[in-house]
């Protein structure tokens, strides 16, 4: 069984909840666990779980972010579920839910190029969805490698948890400021992920970063689809 856990994303400057990131988990004999490889999750499972989850959230929040790796983003069945969810949400005139697709990187995705992704990005954007580039500044997600995708995206995300040094390290602060400024120059939203404590929160204040996510504001928690779903 797979379900999405949800983690809040906040605008700290006006103390508002702007959305949730959906984080898929698998139920095992030892409880809910992160899948070893997200590419191993069957596409129909992702599609069905996503459709049911967004239906639960449509009246509760303004946006949800869904993680997809490059292989999943190119999958026709997953795409159909996203488009269906976007269509249903668009029909809710009182409080439409914005779908934000977070592009993640995973081993095995190397064969899918930026040129392959561009038509898919356009496909999503035409249907009212937005694109986020996750984990900027990590691994292959350096500026030169992702620059060609920036005209298609609305948001970039920097994940502090990807670095062992921690946010208090000046070298990490310099990376955060660099990507914050890239976002400002490109007129994109910038989310800082991995805020763990009050010191991190204060430092994000000092660096004038308004959009944030992390355990300090709320840990991921299960969104039940059925009453019988295990805790």
């Amino acid at each position: 069984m797979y379900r999405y856990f949800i983690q809040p994303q906040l605008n700290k400057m006006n103390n508002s909840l702007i959305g949730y990131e959906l984080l898929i988990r698998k139920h095992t004999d030892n409880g809910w666990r992160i899948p070893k490889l997200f590419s191993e999750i069957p596409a129909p499972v992702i599609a069905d779980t996503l459709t049911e989850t967004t239906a639960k959230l449509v009246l509760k929040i303004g946006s949800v972010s869904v993680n997809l790796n490059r292989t999943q983003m190119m999958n026709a069945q997953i795409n159909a579920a996203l488009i269906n969810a976007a269509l249903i949400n668009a029909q809710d005139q009182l409080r439409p839910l914005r779908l934000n697709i977070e592009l993640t990187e995973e081993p095995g995705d190397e064969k899918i190029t930026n040129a392959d992704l561009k038509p898919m990005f356009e496909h999503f954007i035409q249907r009212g969805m937005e694109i986020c580039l996750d984990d900027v500044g990590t691994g292959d997600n350096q500026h030169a490698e992702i620059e060609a995708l920036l005209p298609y995206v609305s948001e970039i995300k920097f994940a502090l948890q990807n670095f062992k040094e921690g946010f208090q390290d000046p070298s990490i602060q310099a990376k955060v400021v660099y990507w914050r400024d890239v976002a400002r120059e490109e007129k994109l939203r910038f989310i800082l992920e991995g805020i763990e404590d009050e010191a991190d929160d204060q430092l994000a204040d000092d660096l004038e970063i308004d959009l944030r996510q992390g355990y300090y504001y709320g840990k991921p928690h299960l969104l039940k689809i059925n009453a019988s779903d295990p805790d």
Side-chain angles (χ1 to χ4, degrees), residues 30-67:
N30 297 313
W32 294 101
R33 294 292 183 267
I34 299 173
K36 290 183 179 180
L37 283 176
F38 293 95
S39 56
E40 293 179 350
I41 305 172
V45 170
I46 295 176
D48 292 346
T49 307
L50 177 61
T51 299
E52 293 176 300
T53 301
T54 53
K56 288 277 187 181
L57 290 171
V58 66
L59 296 178
K60 298 180 180 180
I61 196 63
S63 73
V64 293
S65 296
V66 180
N67 291 298

Side-chain angles (χ1 to χ4, degrees), residues 13 160 167-170 172-178 180-181 184 190 192 195 200-210 212:
M13 296 309 170
L160 292 168
F167 194 18
Q168 302 304 313
D169 187 288
I172 300 303
Q173 294 171 34
K175 291 178 184 294
V176 170
V177 168
Y178 175 83
R180 179 203 68 186
D181 291 348
R184 288 178 177 176
F190 177 69
L192 183 60
I195 302 290
D200 287 350
D201 179 65
Q202 181 59 56
L203 184 51
D205 284 349
D206 296 341
L207 297 180
E208 300 180 345
I209 297 167
D210 54 351
R212 308 179 196 175

Side-chain angles (χ1 to χ4, degrees), residues 9 12-13 21 28 34 56-58 65 75 83 88-89 94 99 108 141 151 160 163 193 198 221:
Q9 297 175 325
K12 176 67 186 303
M13 296 309 170
E21 180 177 4
T28 71
I34 299 173
K56 288 277 187 181
L57 290 171
V58 66
S65 296
N75 182 277
I83 292 168
I88 292 172
N89 295 326
L94 295 178
L99 289 177
N141 277 1
L160 292 168
F163 300 88
E193 181 183 15
E198 186 175 356
H221 61 277

Side-chain angles (χ1 to χ4, degrees), residues 87-116:
L87 177 62
I88 292 172
N89 295 326
Q91 291 171 347
D92 182 356
Q93 299 300 315
L94 295 178
R95 193 170 183 178
L97 179 73
R98 185 181 75 239
L99 289 177
N100 191 31
I101 312 302
E102 291 193 16
L103 178 65
T104 64
E105 301 291 331
E106 190 167 2
D109 280 350
E110 296 83 2
K111 64 183 181 297
I112 300 173
T113 67
N114 288 347
D116 295 327

Side-chain angles (χ1 to χ4, degrees), residues 127-187:
R127 285 156 179 79
M129 290 176 266
E130 296 184 354
I131 307 295
C132 169
L133 296 183
D134 200 1
D135 300 324
V136 294
T138 302
D140 292 333
N141 277 1
Q142 304 304 319
H143 197 171
E145 282 71 33
I146 66 171
E147 188 169 15
L149 298 178
L150 292 179
Y152 298 87
V153 308
S154 300
E155 175 182 294
I156 58 176
K157 179 184 280 191
F158 187 96
L160 292 168
Q161 65 268 28
N162 291 344
F163 300 88
K164 65 180 185 301
E165 293 88 352
F167 194 18
Q168 302 304 313
D169 187 288
S171 67
I172 300 303
Q173 294 171 34
K175 291 178 184 294
V176 170
V177 168
Y178 175 83
W179 286 102
R180 179 203 68 186
D181 291 348
V182 168
R184 288 178 177 176
E185 182 177 345
E186 299 288 342
K187 296 180 172 55

